[in-house]
Amino acid sequence: MKQLNFILQSKGGVGKSFLVWLLANQYKDNEAVIFIDLDNSTQTSNARLAGLVGQHRVSHYSILDENKKIEREEFLNMLQVFSQAEPNKIYVDFGAPESEEFLKFLRYEFSADTLKEASDMLGVTITFSVVIAGNDTVSACLNYSQALTTLAQDYFTVNWFYNVGLSGGIDSRETTKSTLENLITTNALKTQLIPFGDLGFSQSAKDIVKMLADGSTADTLPFASKLKFNQVMKEFQTSSSHV
């Protein structure tokens, strides 16, 4: 069955595109995996991934109408197009505005059980991957993540990807992780917490971030940075192998 993975978070700058970039590195040699950028404002994934996986595996798609709302027929048309695509796995990067509208769409226009019915009819499975960062973004991230999970968890798999790299020092990172784990337990949320993005604080981390920003590949990294990047990817592949 074809797999769709929606990568979401209404708070901008928390690492959605970074997560997509890591996934692209993980599947860079797998032609059965493609990437869709729904972000109308920046198209960050579209710009960064073409040089990594090839332009033929990266596309932009718009789901917002002229009023910046998700239109039901256009959304269903998108799902149908994806279901008929040749690749077996599709990662869909929602921008912050698209993520916000998607939550409203599920809440008021197109319930999760109806989305499940539609996906079953099309022969696709949908997974929600919600990105969360720490520091001053954690409250907004959690408000969105909890709301979306509550709506979707009875019908779809929901994963919380915790961006460790945007969560301050070691103590702050552990505090945020503990907060997330307690929230999941206290509210009986059906989600798995998956840490990612721990690049550390060395020059290698700076080199990897620059590689991401430039849209280049690991071949351009200095030797020490390449070793660090390989370590990061091994850890990421282990934690996200089921996603």
Side-chain angles (χ1 to χ4, degrees), residues 107-203:
R107 181 175 282 159
Y108 303 117
E109 301 289 339
F110 201 75
S111 63
D113 61 324
T114 304
L115 178 58
K116 182 63 167 65
E117 180 182 0
S119 64
D120 288 345
M121 290 176 64
L122 292 170
V124 301
T125 61
I126 299 176
T127 298
F128 296 159
S129 295
V130 189
V131 179
I132 301 171
N135 292 334
D136 58 349
T137 69
V138 67
S139 179
C141 285
L142 286 179
N143 288 340
Y144 181 85
S145 303
Q146 186 171 356
L148 183 63
T149 303
T150 300
L151 288 175
Q153 63 184 356
D154 289 335
Y155 305 96
F156 302 98
T157 297
V158 182
N159 296 308
W160 285 12
F161 277 85
Y162 168 41
N163 189 353
V164 179
L166 291 181
S167 299
I170 294 176
D171 290 343
S172 177
R173 294 176 178 191
E174 289 303 314
T175 298
T176 300
K177 182 181 178 183
S178 178
T179 298
L180 296 175
E181 291 172 339
N182 289 337
L183 180 67
I184 291 170
T185 301
T186 301
N187 294 278
L189 298 174
K190 302 174 185 176
T191 186
Q192 179 179 359
L193 186 64
I194 305 174
F196 79 101
D198 187 3
L199 302 180
F201 305 96
S202 66
Q203 180 60 44

Side-chain angles (χ1 to χ4, degrees), residues 9-23:
Q9 177 54 253
S10 63
K11 177 64 177 175
V14 299
K16 290 188 301 298
S17 296
F18 181 36
L19 175 60
V20 175
W21 182 76
L22 289 173
L23 289 163

Side-chain angles (χ1 to χ4, degrees), residues 205-216:
K206 297 177 182 178
D207 291 340
I208 294 170
V209 170
K210 185 177 185 301
M211 176 180 69
L212 164 63
D214 292 344
S216 55

Side-chain angles (χ1 to χ4, degrees), residues 6 36 64-65 90 92 145 151 191 228 239:
F6 291 174
I36 306 296
L64 299 184
D65 62 18
I90 302 174
V92 186
S145 303
L151 288 175
T191 186
K228 176 62 176 178
S239 62

Side-chain angles (χ1 to χ4, degrees), residues 7 15-29 33-37 44-53 57-58 91-93 131 161 163 196-199 204-221 225-226 228-230 232-233 236-237 240:
I7 299 172
K16 290 188 301 298
S17 296
F18 181 36
L19 175 60
V20 175
W21 182 76
L22 289 173
L23 289 163
N25 276 278
Q26 181 173 337
Y27 293 108
K28 65 180 180 179
D29 298 321
V33 180
I34 65 172
F35 301 87
I36 306 296
D37 190 352
T44 304
S45 289
N46 195 22
R48 288 175 176 169
L49 301 189
L52 181 61
V53 301
R57 292 173 56 196
V58 185
Y91 289 98
V92 186
D93 183 8
V131 179
F161 277 85
N163 189 353
F196 79 101
D198 187 3
L199 302 180
S204 292
K206 297 177 182 178
D207 291 340
I208 294 170
V209 170
K210 185 177 185 301
M211 176 180 69
L212 164 63
D214 292 344
S216 55
T217 65
D219 295 335
T220 64
L221 291 173
S225 301
K226 189 178 295 184
K228 176 62 176 178
F229 177 70
N230 289 343
V232 169
M233 287 307 305
F236 180 73
Q237 289 166 7
S240 64

